[in-house]
Amino acid sequence: MEKFKPHISVEKLNVFYGKHHVLKDITVKIPEKQITVIIGPSGCGKTTLLKSFNRLIDLVEGISVSGDVRVDGMDIYNGKIDVTNIRKKIGMLAQKPYPLPMSIYDNVAYGPRIHGILKRKELDRIVERYLKVAGLWDEVKDRLKSPASRLSAGQQQRLCLARTLAVEPEIILGDEPTSALDPVSAKRIEQEFIELKKDYTIVIVTHILRQAKRLADHVIFLYMGEVIEAGPAREIFEDPKEARTRAYIGGEIS
Amino acid sequence: MNLKLTRKLKEVIASRLMLLITALSSMLIFVMILGLFLKARLILATQSLPELLLSTSWHPLRGEFGFYPFILGTIWVTVLAMFFSIPSCLLTSIYLTEYASAKIRAFIKPLIDLLAGIPSVVYGLWGILVVVPLVKDHIAPLFGYPTSGYCLLTGGFVLAIMVFPVLISVSEEVFRAVPHEVREISLALGATRWQTVKHAQMVPRIKGIIAAIVLGFSRAFGETMAVMMVVGNVAQVPSSVFQPAYPLPALIANNYGEMMSIPLYDAALLLAALLLLLIVLVFSVGARIVLLRIERRVV
């Protein structure tokens, strides 16, 4: 296996939902400042794995987690850790673009405000900066005060990206972030990701193989709650070692 | 052929009959308003409405029917009840929707709902036996007011307890209507639960919360029995919360059917009833409209 500096490392992670064993003995490493794509058929536990990275699975009632998830070497399931710090460090982009019920400006400023930035000037600067990074500034700069819900779905997802970036995370998680978008908007989001990997570690869940091929530097193939294979994208796509990986990439199982 | 005809006939009769009954019950409110108005007209013919509403003098034998003390009594009791119940109900519903586990919720929710089933008269008795002495011996002395305990404060407190279940469940609905995504997004950005509640859920939904509260209180406004038992029922303009008052519903319940030989007395009481009905109607319809508009916007 290729050597790299892991940003997130998962060891023997087991997740139960009631009696249902959702994730089984997951051990993977997520490389820093690359795009890692988690692929696998629906219901294989991709989203659960993703949400275990920022402890958003804590919200699911009846879930139990064992094992280690380390971010920068820090065990995030350690009881002493402040969850809000972890979540600040790890941004998340949901499947469906979901603006908070407030203005465009307030959506982006929401995170910084939560973390104590209240000076108008500083907020203005942050909002402008991250709307630019998300490629939305030119389209909305004249109507920052209007409700975010008036934007198109593609614009909304870029707004969500800006909102995520505004808390200055190191890692960005995307849970099928283009699945609710039209092809053109989806393309734009993909391009954003490719540009962002200079500065961020990115983990994306997708069930679209072609998207995975376009984006991935590193691939994790998950099947029925288990990691079947993980490694550099080229190896996985061109020369998979496992029969099940081959079958999935060949379109035989879905 | 014959069978087909009778089937059809039955269908027509049944549907018409149901329509008629439904129409009658939905017209009931207008019939009531009209009936009350027709009866109350007599007193409106002798004095103008503003005069009746703003006069403080209530001397039926002299033909003076000033509603001001009663209106003020009603408003005061309601305001006090809001003051006691809104903060605790909001916090309870936030706890139940945002913090409590399913187990705790399943345990607490029925207990709160049970409060709604307690007969009003039992609340009244509890008020007399517990709250009245408490106010008289412990709370009023703190402020240096002598009181019998039968006063606005007691009435407001008892009423507050009575609206708990309604208020908790309507505000819980408002919070539950917040899509799960909002919660997730806010928490994923590193917000604490309380920050999430405050900034992402409460502030954008303040209208809904207010409407829910008003809806809860449109019932409290007309609550009669328990309040009547503890509020003292003295027809005066109260100058402090430790003084007795006489809310409109108590006035009607205590006096209608008695002393009806006094001219215009029943017209005056029916006017009071009409006022009460109209106020409650305006509040609850207004709140419903706001809530409806909010729901539509969210979808």
Side-chain angles (χ1 to χ4, degrees), chain A residues 51 54 56 58-59 61 84 87-88 90-92 94 96 98-102 107 110-111 113-115 163-164 167, chain B residues 100-103 105 179-193 195-197 199-200 204-205 298:
Chain A
K51 286 186 175 174
N54 65 347
L56 218 56
D58 290 12
L59 300 189
E61 198 122 11
T84 57
R87 294 193 181 134
K88 183 180 183 300
I90 308 178
M92 176 131 187
K96 236 177 89 193
Y98 205 102
L100 293 169
M102 45 186 85
N107 259 277
Y110 184 85
R113 279 186 180 136
I114 288 290
H115 295 289
R163 183 177 64 202
T164 303
V167 292
Chain B
S101 68
K103 257 188 211 158
R105 204 179 310 130
H180 188 65
E181 285 90 340
V182 171
R183 208 162 289 144
E184 251 191 33
I185 288 163
S186 176
L187 292 172
L189 288 169
T192 60
R193 276 182 192 263
Q195 283 176 320
T196 301
V197 168
H199 300 295
R205 253 153 235 280
V298 169

Side-chain angles (χ1 to χ4, degrees), chain A residues 5-25:
Chain A
K5 192 178 166 215
H7 205 163
I8 305 175
S9 52
V10 180
E11 231 181 285
K12 297 226 157 93
L13 177 72
N14 281 287
V15 174
F16 288 87
Y17 180 67
K19 286 210 166 77
H20 181 49
H21 200 170
V22 190
L23 292 179
K24 300 166 190 160
D25 259 342

Side-chain angles (χ1 to χ4, degrees), chain B residues 46-65:
Chain B
T46 63
Q47 290 164 64
S48 75
L49 191 60
E51 242 179 291
L52 286 167
L53 295 186
L54 296 175
S55 160
T56 55
S57 152
W58 179 262
H59 297 290
L61 284 170
R62 280 190 254 148
E64 290 169 6
F65 298 99

Side-chain angles (χ1 to χ4, degrees), chain B residues 80 110 123 159 178 191 215 249 269 274 278 295:
Chain B
L80 280 169
Y123 278 106
L159 189 57
V178 175
L215 197 62
L269 291 181
L274 182 63
L278 288 177
E295 268 166 41

Side-chain angles (χ1 to χ4, degrees), chain B residues 144-222:
Chain B
Y145 277 97
T147 175
S148 65
Y150 291 90
C151 62
L152 274 173
L153 188 73
T154 312
F157 190 76
V158 170
L159 189 57
I161 305 285
M162 290 185 70
V163 296
F164 261 30
V166 186
L167 210 55
I168 288 172
S169 67
V170 283
S171 43
E172 210 196 333
E173 262 165 56
V174 172
F175 284 113
R176 212 168 277 290
V178 175
H180 188 65
E181 285 90 340
V182 171
R183 208 162 289 144
E184 251 191 33
I185 288 163
S186 176
L187 292 172
L189 288 169
T192 60
R193 276 182 192 263
W194 176 243
Q195 283 176 320
T196 301
V197 168
K198 205 168 105 195
H199 300 295
Q201 287 165 248
M202 242 154 85
V203 174
R205 253 153 235 280
I206 194 76
K207 265 195 208 155
I209 293 168
I210 291 172
I213 288 168
V214 171
L215 197 62
F217 270 91
S218 62
R219 290 212 67 81
F221 216 72

Side-chain angles (χ1 to χ4, degrees), chain A residues 103-118:
Chain A
S103 71
I104 295 171
Y105 184 97
D106 289 337
N107 259 277
V108 185
Y110 184 85
R113 279 186 180 136
I114 288 290
H115 295 289
I117 298 174
L118 297 169

